[in-house]
Amino acid sequence: MIRLVRSASDYRGDGEVSGPATVQGGGSVREKTLGVVDIGSNTVHLLVARTNGRSITPLLDMSEGLMLGGHVDYDGTLSPDKLDELLSTLGTYQSAAAEMGVTDLHLLATHAIRTAVNKDAVSKAIEDTLGLQIDILSTEEEAEYSFLGADAACPSVGPQVVVDIGGGSMQVSVGENGQVWDSVSLPLGGARVATRFLPSDPPTYLEEALLVTYLAKTLPDALPLRDTNASGVLGVGGTLRRAPVLLGTDLVPGASYHQADLEKMLAAVRGKRTEEIAAEYALKPERARLLMAALILVREVLRGYDFPPLIISAYGLREGAIMSLARKGA
């Protein structure tokens, strides 16, 4: 999918919510145009934007659902065919970014490449073919960028939790004003959870119950700084951004969702096949398939912090990375 952003109000951060973002605190630099590619477990996503390190104006938004995580999970390696798909996609992005004035495209890889046995060979193939270096983010860096981006879209009025649900992993971080105090990365991405715990289509009540039981036993002790009096939980990720359509609305910047809203969202997908959900709510099947898993995950994170309001952010890792790179003089 290609999205040329003609103005800040056009941008919907994966097609969902509009508006520029401003980061609180930190220094600013002269405005420049930067581009990052987020190589995720589900989607490979390009964002080109102008930024001064405090605010961001998106210019170009492109994404391709390569589903790298499922292939890495299968045998621990990225296959030659998938590598070829990745190289082709990155080549397209490199050309598109260059047309927008980006001279140094930054490639950021998360869980799928980070856990691939042949990640060094993948990095070398990208450098040899495209002349680009890939930055395989640590879990701490991934959490930092996601927190910065989410906090930019929804500036904190106190300590807040950011939960970024990707395809292969889930990052949970706690902090304030763009600064992370503590974070954790858990192997609980939407695609991984759906495949392991909710294999039926539609998932059965027993599968859902087993997932909830597993999370109740394992998640609370894994969450960072659980005693934080969080003003809210910011939800990040392409699947979560699409969840408000289950309530019959688009995602509204700053809108709060509560436990009752999450139960209504779950009720809207429960007992329905993927193709039914996709058709009813105009979603891609690969997103529709992950909705139940993502909603259950974010609900249980909310439970761990005594159910503060949930705000779903249009901005996340890519936006945070661009602003961070600007501050570092990239």
Side-chain angles (χ1 to χ4, degrees):
M1 179 178 66
I2 302 174
R3 185 180 301 279
L4 180 61
V5 186
R6 295 179 177 84
S7 68
S9 60
D10 267 348
Y11 183 64
R12 301 188 180 277
D14 245 7
E16 296 300 338
V17 68
S18 61
T22 299
V23 181
Q24 295 185 353
S28 63
V29 297
R30 186 189 311 179
E31 193 171 65
K32 59 181 67 177
T33 299
L34 296 173
V36 299
V37 178
D38 172 12
I39 305 174
S41 294
N42 288 337
T43 305
V44 179
H45 203 128
L46 165 69
L47 176 63
V48 176
R50 284 198 308 270
T51 183
N52 61 2
R54 291 177 57 86
S55 63
I56 182 169
T57 303
L59 302 173
L60 179 65
D61 188 22
M62 300 176 69
S63 63
E64 192 71 35
L66 297 188
M67 310 302 289
L68 302 179
H71 291 263
V72 171
D73 279 347
Y74 180 71
D75 67 356
T77 64
L78 192 67
S79 69
D81 288 346
K82 273 296 168 183
L83 177 56
D84 286 343
E85 286 186 50
L86 177 59
L87 291 171
S88 176
T89 299
L90 294 177
T92 299
Y93 289 177
Q94 186 178 31
S95 298
E99 291 180 6
M100 301 296 293
V102 175
T103 57
D104 187 11
L105 186 62
H106 296 267
L107 308 186
L108 310 177
T110 57
H111 182 84
I113 303 300
R114 185 166 59 228
T115 58
V117 174
N118 61 337
K119 61 185 177 184
D120 291 339
V122 171
S123 299
K124 187 176 187 304
I126 292 172
E127 185 171 2
D128 290 347
T129 304
L130 302 172
L132 297 174
Q133 291 190 332
I134 183 172
D135 186 3
I136 301 176
L137 299 181
S138 67
T139 57
E140 293 80 10
E141 289 171 323
E142 185 176 355
E144 177 185 347
Y145 287 153
S146 293
F147 193 97
L148 179 59
D151 189 68
C154 308
S156 58
V157 293
Q160 56 189 4
V161 178
V162 171
V163 53
D164 183 353
I165 300 178
S169 63
M170 176 174 71
Q171 319 293 324
V172 182
S173 50
V174 180
E176 187 175 8
N177 293 329
Q179 301 298 317
V180 176
W181 298 342
D182 195 11
S183 66
V184 65
S185 178
L186 303 170
L188 294 172
R192 174 172 287 188
V193 167
T195 299
R196 178 180 175 184
F197 290 95
L198 307 173
S200 301
D201 189 12
T204 67
Y205 285 100
L206 178 58
E207 289 171 350
E208 182 181 348
L210 289 174
L211 171 57
V212 172
T213 300
Y214 172 80
L215 293 176
K217 290 181 178 179
T218 60
L219 192 56
D221 290 340
L223 295 175
L225 302 179
R226 280 192 61 202
D227 58 348
T228 300
N229 185 20
S231 61
V233 171
L234 301 184
V236 175
T239 303
L240 281 182
R241 291 188 188 109
R242 288 155 177 81
V245 302
L246 303 176
L247 299 178
T249 66
D250 289 329
L251 180 59
V252 178
S256 296
Y257 301 90
H258 301 275
Q259 184 179 7
D261 298 313
L262 290 173
E263 298 301 341
K264 290 178 183 177
M265 292 177 186
L266 281 167
V269 298
R270 193 174 282 125
K272 295 180 182 177
R273 295 178 60 83
T274 295
E275 60 185 21
E276 295 179 70
I277 299 170
E280 184 174 354
Y281 298 103
L283 298 171
K284 291 182 178 180
E286 58 265 30
R287 288 297 186 190
R289 173 76 178 93
L290 305 183
L291 274 169
M292 175 172 279
L295 289 169
I296 291 174
L297 285 168
V298 76
R299 183 188 65 184
E300 298 309 308
V301 172
L302 284 166
R303 191 187 307 279
Y305 293 97
D306 296 327
F307 280 108
L310 169 68
I311 301 172
I312 301 175
S313 173
Y315 292 172
L317 184 148
R318 292 179 295 279
E319 293 78 11
I322 280 182
M323 287 184 286
S324 179
L325 288 168
R327 293 180 183 185
K328 295 174 182 176

